[in-house]
Short mmCIF file of all heavy atoms in Angstrom, two decimals:
data_model
loop_
_atom_site.label_atom_id
_atom_site.label_comp_id
_atom_site.label_asym_id
_atom_site.label_seq_id
_atom_site.Cartn_x
_atom_site.Cartn_y
_atom_site.Cartn_z
N MET A 120 28.48 1.72 -29.55
CA MET A 120 27.40 1.84 -28.58
C MET A 120 26.15 1.16 -29.14
O MET A 120 25.83 1.32 -30.32
CB MET A 120 27.11 3.32 -28.33
CG MET A 120 26.12 3.55 -27.26
SD MET A 120 26.11 5.20 -26.59
CE MET A 120 25.33 6.11 -27.88
N ALA A 121 25.44 0.42 -28.29
CA ALA A 121 24.26 -0.31 -28.73
C ALA A 121 23.08 0.64 -28.88
O ALA A 121 22.76 1.40 -27.98
CB ALA A 121 23.91 -1.39 -27.73
N VAL A 122 22.45 0.61 -30.04
CA VAL A 122 21.30 1.45 -30.34
C VAL A 122 20.19 0.54 -30.87
O VAL A 122 20.46 -0.33 -31.69
CB VAL A 122 21.66 2.52 -31.39
CG1 VAL A 122 20.46 3.35 -31.75
CG2 VAL A 122 22.78 3.39 -30.89
N PRO A 123 18.94 0.71 -30.43
CA PRO A 123 17.86 -0.12 -30.95
C PRO A 123 17.68 0.07 -32.45
O PRO A 123 17.76 1.20 -32.95
CB PRO A 123 16.62 0.37 -30.21
CG PRO A 123 17.10 1.19 -29.08
CD PRO A 123 18.48 1.64 -29.41
N LYS A 124 17.45 -1.04 -33.14
CA LYS A 124 17.29 -0.96 -34.59
C LYS A 124 15.92 -0.44 -34.97
O LYS A 124 15.77 0.23 -35.99
CB LYS A 124 17.51 -2.34 -35.18
CG LYS A 124 17.82 -2.33 -36.66
CD LYS A 124 18.39 -3.65 -37.08
CE LYS A 124 19.79 -3.40 -37.57
NZ LYS A 124 20.45 -4.56 -38.09
N ARG A 125 14.91 -0.77 -34.17
CA ARG A 125 13.54 -0.32 -34.46
C ARG A 125 12.91 0.27 -33.21
O ARG A 125 13.29 -0.05 -32.09
CB ARG A 125 12.68 -1.50 -34.93
CG ARG A 125 13.13 -2.09 -36.23
CD ARG A 125 12.15 -3.13 -36.72
NE ARG A 125 12.65 -3.76 -37.93
CZ ARG A 125 12.47 -3.27 -39.14
NH1 ARG A 125 11.84 -2.14 -39.31
NH2 ARG A 125 12.94 -3.90 -40.19
N LYS A 126 11.90 1.09 -33.43
CA LYS A 126 11.15 1.69 -32.32
C LYS A 126 10.37 0.59 -31.60
O LYS A 126 9.74 -0.25 -32.25
CB LYS A 126 10.21 2.75 -32.87
CG LYS A 126 9.35 3.41 -31.82
CD LYS A 126 8.43 4.44 -32.45
CE LYS A 126 7.53 5.06 -31.41
NZ LYS A 126 6.66 6.08 -31.99
N THR A 127 10.35 0.62 -30.28
CA THR A 127 9.56 -0.32 -29.50
C THR A 127 8.09 0.07 -29.62
O THR A 127 7.73 1.22 -29.36
CB THR A 127 9.97 -0.29 -28.02
OG1 THR A 127 11.37 -0.52 -27.93
CG2 THR A 127 9.25 -1.35 -27.23
N SER A 128 7.25 -0.88 -30.02
CA SER A 128 5.84 -0.58 -30.20
C SER A 128 5.18 -0.31 -28.84
O SER A 128 5.65 -0.76 -27.80
CB SER A 128 5.12 -1.74 -30.88
OG SER A 128 5.05 -2.85 -30.02
N THR A 129 4.08 0.40 -28.87
CA THR A 129 3.39 0.74 -27.62
C THR A 129 2.84 -0.53 -26.95
O THR A 129 2.82 -0.62 -25.73
CB THR A 129 2.25 1.73 -27.86
OG1 THR A 129 1.36 1.19 -28.84
CG2 THR A 129 2.77 3.05 -28.33
N ALA A 130 2.42 -1.50 -27.74
CA ALA A 130 1.89 -2.74 -27.16
C ALA A 130 3.00 -3.49 -26.42
O ALA A 130 2.79 -3.98 -25.31
CB ALA A 130 1.30 -3.62 -28.26
N ARG A 131 4.17 -3.57 -27.00
CA ARG A 131 5.29 -4.26 -26.36
C ARG A 131 5.73 -3.52 -25.10
O ARG A 131 6.02 -4.13 -24.08
CB ARG A 131 6.45 -4.39 -27.34
CG ARG A 131 7.61 -5.19 -26.79
CD ARG A 131 8.66 -5.44 -27.83
NE ARG A 131 8.25 -6.42 -28.80
CZ ARG A 131 8.41 -7.74 -28.66
NH1 ARG A 131 8.97 -8.21 -27.58
NH2 ARG A 131 8.04 -8.56 -29.61
N ARG A 132 5.77 -2.19 -25.18
CA ARG A 132 6.15 -1.39 -24.04
C ARG A 132 5.15 -1.57 -22.90
O ARG A 132 5.53 -1.74 -21.75
CB ARG A 132 6.22 0.08 -24.44
CG ARG A 132 6.61 1.02 -23.31
CD ARG A 132 6.21 2.44 -23.60
NE ARG A 132 4.76 2.57 -23.69
CZ ARG A 132 4.13 3.52 -24.35
NH1 ARG A 132 4.80 4.42 -25.03
NH2 ARG A 132 2.82 3.57 -24.36
N ASP A 133 3.85 -1.54 -23.23
CA ASP A 133 2.81 -1.63 -22.20
C ASP A 133 2.72 -3.02 -21.59
O ASP A 133 2.32 -3.17 -20.44
CB ASP A 133 1.47 -1.20 -22.77
CG ASP A 133 1.45 0.28 -23.11
OD1 ASP A 133 2.35 1.01 -22.65
OD2 ASP A 133 0.55 0.72 -23.86
N LYS A 134 3.08 -4.06 -22.34
CA LYS A 134 3.08 -5.42 -21.78
C LYS A 134 4.10 -5.52 -20.65
O LYS A 134 3.87 -6.24 -19.68
CB LYS A 134 3.44 -6.44 -22.86
CG LYS A 134 2.31 -6.80 -23.78
CD LYS A 134 2.79 -7.84 -24.77
CE LYS A 134 1.88 -7.89 -25.97
NZ LYS A 134 2.40 -8.77 -27.01
N ARG A 135 5.20 -4.83 -20.77
CA ARG A 135 6.23 -4.85 -19.72
C ARG A 135 5.73 -4.17 -18.46
O ARG A 135 6.12 -4.53 -17.35
CB ARG A 135 7.48 -4.10 -20.19
CG ARG A 135 8.50 -4.95 -20.86
CD ARG A 135 9.85 -4.26 -20.89
NE ARG A 135 9.82 -2.86 -21.23
CZ ARG A 135 9.91 -2.38 -22.48
NH1 ARG A 135 10.02 -3.20 -23.50
NH2 ARG A 135 9.88 -1.09 -22.69
N LYS A 136 4.88 -3.16 -18.61
CA LYS A 136 4.46 -2.35 -17.49
C LYS A 136 3.17 -2.83 -16.83
O LYS A 136 2.67 -2.18 -15.91
CB LYS A 136 4.27 -0.90 -17.94
CG LYS A 136 5.56 -0.27 -18.39
CD LYS A 136 5.36 1.17 -18.78
CE LYS A 136 6.69 1.80 -19.16
NZ LYS A 136 6.57 3.23 -19.34
N THR A 137 2.61 -3.97 -17.25
CA THR A 137 1.32 -4.41 -16.69
C THR A 137 1.43 -4.80 -15.23
O THR A 137 0.45 -4.69 -14.49
CB THR A 137 0.75 -5.61 -17.46
OG1 THR A 137 1.70 -6.66 -17.43
CG2 THR A 137 0.42 -5.24 -18.88
N HIS A 138 2.57 -5.27 -14.76
CA HIS A 138 2.71 -5.73 -13.39
C HIS A 138 3.22 -4.64 -12.47
O HIS A 138 3.43 -4.89 -11.29
CB HIS A 138 3.64 -6.94 -13.33
CG HIS A 138 3.18 -8.05 -14.22
ND1 HIS A 138 2.06 -8.79 -13.96
CD2 HIS A 138 3.67 -8.52 -15.38
CE1 HIS A 138 1.88 -9.68 -14.91
NE2 HIS A 138 2.85 -9.54 -15.79
N TRP A 139 3.44 -3.44 -12.98
CA TRP A 139 3.97 -2.34 -12.19
C TRP A 139 2.80 -1.50 -11.70
O TRP A 139 2.33 -0.59 -12.36
CB TRP A 139 4.92 -1.50 -13.05
CG TRP A 139 5.71 -0.52 -12.29
CD1 TRP A 139 6.82 -0.78 -11.54
CD2 TRP A 139 5.47 0.88 -12.18
NE1 TRP A 139 7.29 0.37 -10.98
CE2 TRP A 139 6.48 1.42 -11.37
CE3 TRP A 139 4.52 1.74 -12.69
CZ2 TRP A 139 6.55 2.76 -11.04
CZ3 TRP A 139 4.58 3.08 -12.37
CH2 TRP A 139 5.60 3.57 -11.56
N LYS A 140 2.27 -1.86 -10.50
CA LYS A 140 1.11 -1.14 -10.00
C LYS A 140 1.13 -1.14 -8.48
O LYS A 140 1.85 -1.90 -7.84
CB LYS A 140 -0.17 -1.76 -10.51
CG LYS A 140 -0.30 -3.25 -10.26
CD LYS A 140 -1.46 -3.84 -11.01
CE LYS A 140 -1.21 -5.32 -11.19
NZ LYS A 140 -1.74 -5.83 -12.39
N LEU A 141 0.31 -0.29 -7.91
CA LEU A 141 0.21 -0.18 -6.45
C LEU A 141 -0.61 -1.33 -5.90
O LEU A 141 -1.51 -1.85 -6.55
CB LEU A 141 -0.47 1.13 -6.06
CG LEU A 141 0.29 2.40 -6.35
CD1 LEU A 141 -0.60 3.60 -6.05
CD2 LEU A 141 1.54 2.46 -5.51
N SER A 142 -0.31 -1.70 -4.65
CA SER A 142 -1.12 -2.70 -3.97
C SER A 142 -1.90 -2.00 -2.85
O SER A 142 -1.46 -0.99 -2.30
CB SER A 142 -0.25 -3.80 -3.39
OG SER A 142 0.69 -3.25 -2.49
N ALA A 143 -3.04 -2.54 -2.52
CA ALA A 143 -3.88 -1.95 -1.48
C ALA A 143 -3.24 -2.16 -0.12
O ALA A 143 -2.61 -3.19 0.12
CB ALA A 143 -5.27 -2.60 -1.51
N PRO A 144 -3.36 -1.20 0.79
CA PRO A 144 -2.77 -1.37 2.13
C PRO A 144 -3.49 -2.47 2.90
O PRO A 144 -4.69 -2.69 2.71
CB PRO A 144 -2.98 -0.01 2.79
CG PRO A 144 -4.11 0.61 2.07
CD PRO A 144 -4.05 0.10 0.65
N ALA A 145 -2.75 -3.16 3.77
CA ALA A 145 -3.32 -4.24 4.57
C ALA A 145 -4.11 -3.63 5.73
O ALA A 145 -3.55 -2.98 6.60
CB ALA A 145 -2.21 -5.13 5.10
N LEU A 146 -5.42 -3.81 5.71
CA LEU A 146 -6.28 -3.26 6.74
C LEU A 146 -6.79 -4.38 7.65
O LEU A 146 -7.12 -5.45 7.18
CB LEU A 146 -7.48 -2.53 6.12
CG LEU A 146 -7.14 -1.33 5.25
CD1 LEU A 146 -8.40 -0.77 4.61
CD2 LEU A 146 -6.45 -0.25 6.05
N THR A 147 -6.82 -4.11 8.96
CA THR A 147 -7.33 -5.06 9.93
C THR A 147 -8.29 -4.35 10.88
O THR A 147 -8.36 -3.12 10.89
CB THR A 147 -6.20 -5.67 10.78
OG1 THR A 147 -5.51 -4.62 11.44
CG2 THR A 147 -5.21 -6.44 9.92
N LYS A 148 -9.02 -5.12 11.67
CA LYS A 148 -9.91 -4.53 12.67
C LYS A 148 -9.15 -4.36 13.97
O LYS A 148 -8.35 -5.22 14.35
CB LYS A 148 -11.12 -5.43 12.89
CG LYS A 148 -12.14 -5.34 11.80
CD LYS A 148 -13.41 -6.04 12.21
CE LYS A 148 -14.47 -5.84 11.14
NZ LYS A 148 -15.72 -6.48 11.52
N CYS A 149 -9.41 -3.27 14.66
CA CYS A 149 -8.81 -3.03 15.96
C CYS A 149 -9.39 -4.04 16.95
O CYS A 149 -10.60 -4.26 16.99
CB CYS A 149 -9.12 -1.60 16.42
SG CYS A 149 -8.54 -1.24 18.09
N SER A 150 -8.52 -4.66 17.75
CA SER A 150 -8.98 -5.67 18.71
C SER A 150 -9.73 -5.04 19.88
O SER A 150 -10.48 -5.73 20.58
CB SER A 150 -7.80 -6.47 19.23
OG SER A 150 -6.87 -5.61 19.85
N HIS A 151 -9.57 -3.75 20.08
CA HIS A 151 -10.21 -3.09 21.22
C HIS A 151 -11.56 -2.48 20.86
O HIS A 151 -12.55 -2.70 21.54
CB HIS A 151 -9.27 -2.02 21.78
CG HIS A 151 -9.72 -1.44 23.08
ND1 HIS A 151 -10.31 -0.22 23.16
CD2 HIS A 151 -9.67 -1.94 24.33
CE1 HIS A 151 -10.61 0.02 24.42
NE2 HIS A 151 -10.23 -1.01 25.16
N CYS A 152 -11.62 -1.70 19.76
CA CYS A 152 -12.87 -1.00 19.42
C CYS A 152 -13.54 -1.51 18.14
O CYS A 152 -14.69 -1.20 17.88
CB CYS A 152 -12.61 0.51 19.30
SG CYS A 152 -11.60 0.96 17.87
N GLY A 153 -12.81 -2.28 17.32
CA GLY A 153 -13.41 -2.85 16.11
C GLY A 153 -13.33 -1.97 14.88
O GLY A 153 -13.82 -2.35 13.82
N GLN A 154 -12.72 -0.77 14.98
CA GLN A 154 -12.56 0.10 13.82
C GLN A 154 -11.53 -0.49 12.87
O GLN A 154 -10.62 -1.22 13.28
CB GLN A 154 -12.05 1.47 14.27
CG GLN A 154 -13.11 2.40 14.81
CD GLN A 154 -14.00 2.92 13.73
OE1 GLN A 154 -15.10 2.41 13.55
NE2 GLN A 154 -13.57 3.92 13.02
N VAL A 155 -11.63 -0.17 11.60
CA VAL A 155 -10.66 -0.62 10.61
C VAL A 155 -9.43 0.27 10.72
O VAL A 155 -9.54 1.49 10.79
CB VAL A 155 -11.25 -0.55 9.19
CG1 VAL A 155 -10.22 -0.94 8.16
CG2 VAL A 155 -12.46 -1.45 9.08
N LYS A 156 -8.24 -0.35 10.76
CA LYS A 156 -6.98 0.39 10.86
C LYS A 156 -5.91 -0.33 10.06
O LYS A 156 -6.08 -1.48 9.67
CB LYS A 156 -6.55 0.53 12.32
CG LYS A 156 -6.13 -0.78 12.97
CD LYS A 156 -5.65 -0.56 14.38
CE LYS A 156 -5.02 -1.80 14.96
NZ LYS A 156 -3.72 -2.13 14.41
N MET A 157 -4.80 0.36 9.81
CA MET A 157 -3.68 -0.29 9.13
C MET A 157 -2.96 -1.19 10.13
O MET A 157 -2.89 -0.90 11.32
CB MET A 157 -2.70 0.76 8.59
CG MET A 157 -3.25 1.51 7.42
SD MET A 157 -2.08 2.68 6.72
CE MET A 157 -0.88 1.56 6.04
N SER A 158 -2.43 -2.34 9.66
CA SER A 158 -1.77 -3.27 10.57
C SER A 158 -0.49 -2.67 11.12
O SER A 158 0.17 -1.88 10.47
CB SER A 158 -1.40 -4.57 9.89
OG SER A 158 -1.83 -4.70 8.64
N HIS A 159 -0.15 -3.07 12.33
CA HIS A 159 1.05 -2.64 13.03
C HIS A 159 1.08 -1.13 13.26
O HIS A 159 2.13 -0.51 13.27
CB HIS A 159 2.32 -3.07 12.29
CG HIS A 159 2.36 -4.54 12.02
ND1 HIS A 159 2.63 -5.46 12.98
CD2 HIS A 159 2.13 -5.23 10.88
CE1 HIS A 159 2.58 -6.67 12.45
NE2 HIS A 159 2.27 -6.57 11.19
N ARG A 160 -0.11 -0.52 13.46
CA ARG A 160 -0.21 0.91 13.75
C ARG A 160 -1.13 1.10 14.96
O ARG A 160 -1.99 0.27 15.24
CB ARG A 160 -0.83 1.69 12.57
CG ARG A 160 -0.12 1.56 11.24
CD ARG A 160 1.20 2.29 11.24
NE ARG A 160 1.76 2.48 9.92
CZ ARG A 160 2.34 1.55 9.19
NH1 ARG A 160 2.39 0.32 9.63
NH2 ARG A 160 2.86 1.82 8.02
N VAL A 161 -0.97 2.21 15.64
CA VAL A 161 -1.86 2.56 16.74
C VAL A 161 -3.22 2.92 16.15
O VAL A 161 -3.30 3.60 15.12
CB VAL A 161 -1.28 3.75 17.54
CG1 VAL A 161 -2.24 4.19 18.62
CG2 VAL A 161 0.06 3.39 18.12
N CYS A 162 -4.28 2.48 16.80
CA CYS A 162 -5.63 2.78 16.33
C CYS A 162 -5.90 4.28 16.51
O CYS A 162 -5.69 4.82 17.60
CB CYS A 162 -6.65 1.96 17.11
SG CYS A 162 -8.35 2.30 16.61
N GLY A 163 -6.36 4.94 15.48
CA GLY A 163 -6.64 6.36 15.54
C GLY A 163 -7.91 6.66 16.30
O GLY A 163 -8.12 7.79 16.78
N ASN A 164 -8.78 5.68 16.45
CA ASN A 164 -10.06 5.89 17.12
C ASN A 164 -9.93 5.78 18.64
O ASN A 164 -10.37 6.66 19.38
CB ASN A 164 -11.08 4.87 16.61
CG ASN A 164 -12.46 5.14 17.13
OD1 ASN A 164 -12.92 6.26 17.13
ND2 ASN A 164 -13.11 4.09 17.59
N CYS A 165 -9.29 4.69 19.13
CA CYS A 165 -9.23 4.48 20.58
C CYS A 165 -7.83 4.67 21.16
O CYS A 165 -7.69 4.76 22.38
CB CYS A 165 -9.74 3.08 20.92
SG CYS A 165 -8.73 1.74 20.27
N GLY A 166 -6.79 4.70 20.34
CA GLY A 166 -5.44 4.92 20.84
C GLY A 166 -4.75 3.68 21.37
O GLY A 166 -3.71 3.76 22.00
N PHE A 167 -5.32 2.50 21.11
CA PHE A 167 -4.72 1.25 21.59
C PHE A 167 -3.86 0.62 20.51
O PHE A 167 -4.13 0.76 19.31
CB PHE A 167 -5.81 0.25 21.98
CG PHE A 167 -6.29 0.41 23.39
CD1 PHE A 167 -7.08 1.49 23.76
CD2 PHE A 167 -5.96 -0.52 24.35
CE1 PHE A 167 -7.52 1.65 25.06
CE2 PHE A 167 -6.40 -0.38 25.66
CZ PHE A 167 -7.18 0.70 26.01
N TYR A 168 -2.80 -0.06 20.94
CA TYR A 168 -1.99 -0.90 20.05
C TYR A 168 -1.95 -2.26 20.71
O TYR A 168 -1.29 -2.45 21.73
CB TYR A 168 -0.58 -0.34 19.89
CG TYR A 168 0.28 -1.16 18.95
CD1 TYR A 168 0.07 -1.11 17.59
CD2 TYR A 168 1.28 -1.99 19.43
CE1 TYR A 168 0.84 -1.86 16.72
CE2 TYR A 168 2.05 -2.74 18.57
CZ TYR A 168 1.83 -2.68 17.22
OH TYR A 168 2.58 -3.43 16.36
N GLY A 169 -2.72 -3.21 20.19
CA GLY A 169 -2.87 -4.50 20.85
C GLY A 169 -3.76 -4.30 22.07
O GLY A 169 -4.90 -3.83 21.95
N ASN A 170 -3.26 -4.62 23.26
CA ASN A 170 -4.04 -4.43 24.50
C ASN A 170 -3.47 -3.32 25.36
O ASN A 170 -3.82 -3.21 26.53
CB ASN A 170 -4.07 -5.74 25.29
CG ASN A 170 -4.83 -6.83 24.56
OD1 ASN A 170 -5.77 -6.53 23.84
ND2 ASN A 170 -4.40 -8.06 24.71
N VAL A 171 -2.59 -2.50 24.81
CA VAL A 171 -1.95 -1.43 25.57
C VAL A 171 -2.41 -0.09 25.04
O VAL A 171 -2.40 0.17 23.83
CB VAL A 171 -0.41 -1.53 25.45
CG1 VAL A 171 0.26 -0.44 26.25
CG2 VAL A 171 0.08 -2.90 25.88
N GLU A 172 -2.83 0.81 25.95
CA GLU A 172 -3.21 2.17 25.52
C GLU A 172 -1.93 2.99 25.34
O GLU A 172 -1.21 3.24 26.29
CB GLU A 172 -4.11 2.85 26.54
CG GLU A 172 -4.62 4.18 26.05
CD GLU A 172 -5.64 4.81 27.00
OE1 GLU A 172 -5.83 4.31 28.10
OE2 GLU A 172 -6.24 5.82 26.58
N VAL A 173 -1.65 3.37 24.11
CA VAL A 173 -0.41 4.08 23.78
C VAL A 173 -0.61 5.57 23.91
O VAL A 173 0.27 6.29 24.37
CB VAL A 173 0.05 3.70 22.35
CG1 VAL A 173 1.30 4.44 21.98
CG2 VAL A 173 0.27 2.20 22.25
N ARG A 174 -1.76 6.07 23.49
CA ARG A 174 -2.04 7.51 23.57
C ARG A 174 -3.52 7.72 23.82
O ARG A 174 -4.32 6.81 23.65
CB ARG A 174 -1.59 8.23 22.31
CG ARG A 174 -2.31 7.81 21.06
CD ARG A 174 -1.85 8.64 19.87
NE ARG A 174 -2.50 8.25 18.67
CZ ARG A 174 -3.72 8.61 18.30
NH1 ARG A 174 -4.41 9.39 19.06
NH2 ARG A 174 -4.25 8.20 17.18
N GLN A 175 -3.85 8.93 24.18
CA GLN A 175 -5.25 9.27 24.42
C GLN A 175 -5.99 9.28 23.09
O GLN A 175 -5.45 9.66 22.06
CB GLN A 175 -5.35 10.66 25.07
CG GLN A 175 -4.77 10.73 26.47
CD GLN A 175 -5.53 9.83 27.44
OE1 GLN A 175 -6.75 9.74 27.38
NE2 GLN A 175 -4.79 9.17 28.32
N PRO A 176 -7.26 8.86 23.08
CA PRO A 176 -8.02 8.84 21.83
C PRO A 176 -8.21 10.25 21.26
O PRO A 176 -8.27 11.22 22.01
CB PRO A 176 -9.35 8.23 22.20
CG PRO A 176 -9.34 7.97 23.65
CD PRO A 176 -8.00 8.34 24.21
N ALA A 177 -8.28 10.33 19.95
CA ALA A 177 -8.52 11.62 19.27
C ALA A 177 -9.94 12.09 19.57
O ALA A 177 -10.88 11.31 19.58
CB ALA A 177 -8.32 11.47 17.77
N GLU A 178 -10.10 13.35 19.82
CA GLU A 178 -11.41 13.88 20.17
C GLU A 178 -12.06 14.58 19.03
O GLU A 178 -11.68 15.03 18.12
CB GLU A 178 -11.28 14.83 21.35
CG GLU A 178 -10.51 14.18 22.45
CD GLU A 178 -11.21 14.14 23.77
OE1 GLU A 178 -12.28 14.74 23.91
OE2 GLU A 178 -10.70 13.47 24.65
#
């Protein structure tokens, strides 16, 4: 069975993990009311998705 000959240093270990991180969500402006919302989602402010009213606005 393969066993490491030496302990992996913290610097070497952390270099591998530098690219493993979260990315920010893609935010866009609502075409109807101008509020910031996540793309491809119904606007929480006005209830529109594109030019179609999907649900009543939150009160």
Side-chain angles (χ1 to χ4, degrees):
M120 186 163 74
V122 177
K124 199 164 243 184
R125 296 187 184 275
K126 178 181 178 178
T127 305
S128 69
T129 56
R131 184 173 287 273
R132 180 200 65 204
D133 293 345
K134 281 181 199 174
R135 269 198 316 270
K136 295 182 177 189
T137 58
H138 303 291
W139 191 78
K140 53 191 157 213
L141 292 173
S142 58
L146 297 175
T147 59
K148 283 191 175 181
C149 175
S150 59
H151 190 257
C152 69
Q154 280 288 100
V155 177
K156 68 177 189 72
M157 289 183 68
S158 355
H159 305 285
R160 303 289 194 285
V161 176
C162 179
N164 187 45
C165 64
F167 274 72
Y168 181 74
N170 294 328
V171 181
E172 186 174 9
V173 178
R174 63 177 179 80
Q175 294 296 321
E178 310 236 352

